[in-house]
Amino acid sequence: MTQSDQRAVFDGVDVVDETPRHALLCVIGGKRIWVTLGNRRRGTEVQKRGDRGTLVVSKAFAIKNGLWEEGSAPPAPSAHRPLSSVSPPPARPAPVPSEGVPSSGHRFGQRR
């Protein structure tokens, strides 16, 4: 199987721009890469500016654009290659008002 036959799957891809001929400027692992319609493979979810989702390209395209290191093991057909090993910060709980402060009853963003 050649590199052009093998696929590279990227999750969490953001499309930040597009051309009239359907080329997408994608942010993949912090890199901005133009991906033409001919480079996208079956399974690609992102189609237009503002989309966020899965992008599937050939292994050769991924290597050429610095998204895949030569010598890396190919992903399994259903496996997704993570973009980053950095996890998001933990969510903080909302502050609880102290018991000594009376509530004004006003809730921002809601009408009475």
Side-chain angles (χ1 to χ4, degrees):
M1 182 179 269
T2 67
Q3 288 179 355
S4 62
D5 297 335
Q6 295 176 357
R7 301 178 333 146
V9 180
F10 299 95
D11 285 329
V13 173
D14 289 308
V15 180
V16 295
D17 202 0
E18 66 181 308
T19 67
R21 294 184 182 223
H22 306 289
L24 304 176
L25 181 57
C26 299
V27 178
I28 307 168
K31 292 185 176 188
R32 290 175 170 243
I33 306 291
W34 281 102
V35 182
T36 63
L37 185 59
N39 288 66
R40 289 179 257 163
R41 300 291 184 257
R42 187 179 357 193
T44 294
E45 297 173 350
V46 294
Q47 301 296 323
K48 63 186 182 314
R49 181 184 314 155
D51 283 356
R52 179 178 176 82
T54 302
L55 173 69
V56 183
V57 295
S58 70
K59 179 180 175 184
F61 179 85
I63 291 170
K64 178 181 175 185
N65 288 283
L67 303 172
W68 184 304
E69 293 180 20
E70 189 65 63
S72 296
S78 62
H80 296 289
R81 186 171 183 204
L83 293 178
S84 173
S85 60
V86 178
S87 59
R92 290 184 165 176
V96 178
S98 65
E99 293 178 21
V101 178
S103 172
S104 67
H106 181 75
R107 303 200 40 89
F108 291 98
Q110 295 182 350
R111 291 185 173 191
R112 291 188 191 208

